[in-house]
Amino acid sequence: MPVLPFARGVSLRSPWWRRLPLLALLLLVPAVAAAQTYPQSTLIPKGDFADLVDGVFWTTMWWGLLVFVLVEGALLFVIFRYRGRPDDPEPEQVHGNTMAEILWTAIPAVILAMIAVPTVRAIFKTYEQPTGDILKVEVVGHQWWWEFRYPELGLTTANELHVPRGKAVSLKMTTTDVLHSWWSPQFAAKRDVFPNRSTTLWFSARETGNWSGQCAEFCGIQHGRMGFRVIVDEPAEYDRFIGTLRASAAPPVRADSTGLQVTKLGAQAPGVAPDPLLAEGEKLFTNKGCIGCHSLNAAKPVGIGPNLAGIGSRTYLAAGWLENTDANLARWIREPQAVKEGVLMPNLGVTEPEAKALVAYLRSHK
Ligand code: CUA
């Protein structure tokens, strides 16, 4: 009895092949569930680019299914209809059949053409950049996070790309270090990003929501945690988000004793005495060196670490890895190397009370 490697140690009273239907069923269950449950499924397109990809998938799928049913059906028919019996005479021996050869060449050629034509057409379409009323976004991959710039607005954000529903978005993408690949399954396909070169992608989203995306090119030990979110807003909500980024660039900005520019202290009304916890957080943000890599001003990106304008209202931290709760933010600040080993952000020896103040300060930026 053959023992499959994966079944070693499992009692196999019946031959392994009798379990195949069960195995197929087990594989089918997650495949069906994936369509609705799994956040990064390509099977639930929510935009025009993804529809093109989905169309190619289903075209190939249906032709493949048709071939499978016809070929397997013919095979089963022949096996049962012409099966050998003990006293059968020697069957008639045939050598060559021109008609059969023409048919088995022509039919697959036609089927391949039926798949190839829409596929090639879709590939060309995915490289056509949209024109007219479009939103331009520059995407920059970093180990291991994503920078999103709105060049027409002079604003930068990180890891959460807000776009208005229904508007064509044109992405121009590059990276500052190694190869990455930008993949937003519901809206667009994967496209690699390269240093010193730019690649493009486009999509327009037809459904609002917060959708997960992922780096899809191995780029180091935290490749798996190089996620991002595409947040599709109603136009008014999108304008409100852009307003938040704009506000991060607005005064009051003052210089502290070190001469460094210190961004505004949260969103406090002028004339109101600053909350001591926020003031402490603001001081720590400078003194602990956070300010060396992270800007809280969307109009003045530092580019070493993610821009933190609007961090208080982001949904995730650490490039889509942790939900943006106070506890997670404190943990991420205190021990980044334990949360995402190998990231540029070092453990700075931030104490628990210090983390609390920093969290309060960052949370006020929304
Ligand atoms: Cu970046 Cu994988």
Side-chain angles (χ1 to χ4, degrees), residues 142 144 146 179-181 214-220 223-224 226:
H142 297 259
W144 292 277
W146 295 93
L179 265 69
H180 304 276
S181 179
Q214 172 65 38
C215 178
E217 175 70 49
F218 182 71
C219 56
H223 154 71
M226 188 171 163

Side-chain angles (χ1 to χ4, degrees), residues 49 173 181-184 188-192 201 214 216:
F49 189 114
M173 311 190 290
S181 179
W182 197 84
W183 182 42
S184 173
K190 294 169 182 167
R191 190 146 294 165
D192 285 1
L201 202 58
Q214 172 65 38

Side-chain angles (χ1 to χ4, degrees), residues 266-308:
Q268 294 177 53
V272 176
D275 178 331
L277 196 61
L278 292 189
E280 171 69 8
E282 184 184 30
K283 217 165 72 192
L284 286 165
F285 193 77
T286 304
N287 294 348
K288 287 285 173 186
C290 314
I291 204 167
C293 299
H294 298 283
S295 169
L296 281 157
N297 180 341
K300 286 209 170 80
V302 175
I304 301 169
N307 192 287
L308 297 181

Side-chain angles (χ1 to χ4, degrees), residues 180-203:
H180 304 276
S181 179
W182 197 84
W183 182 42
S184 173
Q186 280 83 19
F187 301 112
K190 294 169 182 167
R191 190 146 294 165
D192 285 1
V193 297
F194 307 88
N196 304 318
R197 194 184 132 184
S198 66
T199 45
T200 57
L201 202 58
W202 59 267
F203 69 92

Side-chain angles (χ1 to χ4, degrees), residues 285-356:
F285 193 77
T286 304
N287 294 348
K288 287 285 173 186
C290 314
I291 204 167
C293 299
H294 298 283
S295 169
L296 281 157
N297 180 341
K300 286 209 170 80
V302 175
I304 301 169
N307 192 287
L308 297 181
I311 180 73
S313 48
R314 282 196 199 149
T315 55
Y316 282 84
L317 301 167
W321 175 234
L322 295 172
E323 268 184 68
N324 188 3
T325 62
D326 286 357
N328 281 342
L329 185 50
R331 185 165 165 242
W332 180 221
I333 291 168
R334 290 195 65 198
E335 41 188 29
Q337 294 302 320
V339 175
K340 265 173 93 165
E341 189 193 345
V343 291
L344 268 185
M345 180 153 74
N347 288 351
L348 291 162
V350 177
T351 65
E352 222 173 301
E354 286 172 340
K356 207 175 153 205

Side-chain angles (χ1 to χ4, degrees), residues 147-168:
E147 186 174 350
F148 298 120
R149 300 180 190 151
Y150 298 95
E152 287 156 322
L153 305 171
L155 297 170
T156 294
T157 187
N159 299 326
E160 300 201 344
L161 173 64
H162 283 251
V163 298
R165 184 174 63 83
K167 185 149 179 165

